[in-house]
Amino acid sequence: MKHFIEKKLLISLIFLAAAVLFAIIFAVTHTNSSKHQPPAPAETTGQSEKLILGFSQIGSESAWRTRNTQSIFEAAAENDIQILFDDAQQKQENQLKAIRSFIVYQVDVIAFVPIVEDGWDNVLQEAKDAGIPVILVDRQINADPSLYAGFLGEDGLEEGRRAARFLVKKCKARKGPVNIYEMSGTENSSVVRDRAKGFREILAGDPKFKIIHSEDGDFLRSRGKEIAENLINASSKKDGLYFEGQKIDAVYSHNDSMTLGMLDSLETYRVQTKDTIIISVDAEQKSIDALKEGKLNCVVECNPNLGPMLMTLVRQIADGKEIPRVTYNPETFFTEDDDFSTYQPRGY
């Protein structure tokens, strides 16, 4: 009887050990096959895993930026792609942390809007070493091209050229000098460099166009308002804007937020600018409204709806395909000479 009990106990121990071993093997296998999955309910058997996109946005400083983010979320939902999102709040160090967290999480693809051009090499090398492709969105960078898959965004050079072409046409019959005041965006960002370069490229052939000053407005409405207020307070005249005694004939603003801020100050101080040519970039609804009201002369579009194309590129990369080094979104421009009845709501 004692022998029988001992034999039964031995068999029980063998079964227990086998069960523990099976549990360990199952846990290891399940962990390795699920390393790209977020902590969510298990999917139905036979359904493919969701792609995970780590996306770092620079902030929400304007209606344009908000729409840009919405476009990406909408397109991700339509394509059944999960997004891990981070708002960098205008700080590069926040973006670096976010990208490293995406690497730790082992997302399938990383996309981010670089605040400035420099300082990305190390983190991009980390992503490459981890086997995670990176897509630049909206702005470009100074880095080894092998560290990222491609760029999706606007053609900043052409945006600057369009602004300048309108100004040249507008001032065709003008004989005297045309003094231009430039409100540029965030310093050391690629879009600022390109919009400035394209603008100057077209004006270079005519010496009557003079950029008398360029001020960093950081793409913020508050800065546009402040810049205009400083110009107004520095001059006692109300028949236009002046810089160091020189009347400003044209204002070239790198984005609508700064432009709308400037218009706020002009209205507050009741400065007359009917003879001042004002050109803006982005084409938010509020700037289009200002164009229709005669407060602006030209608005160059920067298309924020990058979501659908971004998801196409993400899918291509996930399928092991190369994507184009540069992909531009289609854009246009609007002027005071347009038939406003044909305008459609901008949606942002």
Side-chain angles (χ1 to χ4, degrees):
M1 184 70 178
K2 181 179 179 183
H3 177 69
F4 175 77
I5 293 173
E6 290 175 346
K7 184 177 181 181
K8 187 175 180 181
L9 179 61
L10 179 61
I11 292 172
S12 298
L13 291 173
I14 291 173
F15 272 103
L16 178 61
V20 171
L21 180 61
F22 176 80
I24 293 172
I25 293 172
F26 176 81
V28 171
T29 304
H30 179 72
T31 300
N32 289 338
S33 65
S34 314
K35 63 182 179 180
H36 291 306
Q37 284 283 46
E43 297 186 10
T44 305
T45 302
Q47 183 179 355
S48 60
E49 292 184 351
K50 268 191 177 184
L51 287 175
I52 302 178
L53 170 66
F55 176 58
S56 175
Q57 180 63 276
I58 64 172
S60 55
E61 78 285 356
S62 64
W64 189 99
R65 186 63 58 193
T66 299
R67 177 57 204 154
N68 180 233
T69 302
Q70 288 174 342
S71 171
I72 290 170
F73 270 92
E74 290 167 0
E78 291 171 1
N79 286 271
D80 199 30
I81 293 174
Q82 180 175 338
I83 288 186
L84 294 186
F85 177 74
D86 177 80
D87 182 340
Q89 299 180 341
Q90 304 293 326
K91 295 180 180 179
Q92 184 181 27
E93 57 265 32
N94 290 344
Q95 283 198 302
L96 294 172
K97 290 177 184 177
I99 293 171
R100 289 192 168 101
S101 73
F102 297 154
I103 294 170
V104 170
Y105 194 85
Q106 295 184 308
V107 300
D108 296 293
V109 181
I110 292 172
F112 75 106
V113 181
I115 295 175
V116 294
E117 289 186 289
D118 299 313
W120 304 104
D121 296 77
N122 290 340
V123 74
L124 292 182
Q125 184 64 58
E126 293 168 26
K128 184 176 182 179
D129 292 342
I132 302 174
V134 176
I135 301 174
L136 308 180
V137 179
D138 182 39
R139 300 181 184 181
Q140 301 200 49
I141 60 174
N142 290 324
D144 182 348
S146 70
L147 296 178
Y148 58 94
F151 163 79
L152 166 65
E154 72 278 356
D155 186 345
L157 280 171
E158 186 57 29
E159 290 169 353
R161 291 171 186 143
R162 283 174 173 161
R165 289 188 192 111
F166 171 80
L167 184 60
V168 169
K169 182 180 179 181
K170 178 78 173 175
C171 299
K172 186 176 181 180
R174 187 162 182 160
K175 301 299 181 182
V178 178
N179 293 327
I180 305 165
Y181 189 94
E182 180 180 43
M183 286 198 296
S184 68
T186 303
E187 188 178 2
N188 297 323
S189 63
S190 65
V191 69
V192 166
R193 178 201 64 214
D194 288 346
R195 286 175 184 169
K197 183 178 179 181
F199 187 73
R200 286 160 173 77
E201 177 185 299
I202 299 299
L203 300 183
D206 192 334
K208 74 180 178 185
F209 294 102
K210 302 179 185 299
I211 300 175
I212 58 175
H213 187 67
S214 181
E215 184 76 17
D216 177 6
D218 206 22
F219 290 124
L220 298 175
R221 185 165 183 158
S222 59
R223 283 286 293 133
K225 184 176 181 179
E226 178 186 359
I227 289 169
E229 192 172 70
N230 289 340
L231 290 172
I232 294 166
N233 289 334
S235 171
S236 59
K237 300 178 181 180
K238 298 294 183 180
D239 63 333
L241 292 172
Y242 288 79
F243 175 75
E244 295 183 351
Q246 303 177 81
K247 188 170 185 179
I248 297 171
D249 301 302
V251 174
Y252 171 45
S253 172
H254 284 206
N255 90 327
D256 286 346
S257 289
M258 296 186 299
T259 307
L260 294 170
M262 179 190 68
L263 293 181
D264 290 340
S265 288
L266 293 177
E267 183 176 354
T268 298
Y269 289 90
R270 299 182 180 180
V271 175
Q272 298 299 317
T273 55
K274 60 183 180 64
D275 296 326
T276 307
I277 303 165
I278 303 178
I279 303 170
S280 186
V281 180
D282 271 355
E284 296 178 10
Q285 185 61 57
K286 288 183 178 180
S287 70
I288 295 298
D289 292 342
L291 175 67
K292 293 163 70 174
E293 293 167 7
K295 297 176 181 178
L296 302 181
N297 301 86
C298 176
V299 179
V300 178
E301 181 187 35
C302 178
N303 191 345
N305 298 305
L306 299 174
M309 183 56 70
L310 177 59
M311 298 311 142
T312 297
L313 298 178
V314 169
R315 285 286 183 194
Q316 288 178 354
I317 288 176
D319 290 340
K321 301 174 183 177
E322 289 189 4
I323 65 172
R325 291 303 304 171
V326 175
T327 302
Y328 290 135
N329 228 17
E331 297 175 333
T332 185
F333 64 101
F334 308 88
T335 79
E336 61 191 1
D337 300 318
D338 292 348
D339 177 2
F340 298 146
S341 68
T342 64
Y343 280 8
Q344 297 296 318
R346 303 297 294 158
Y348 63 96

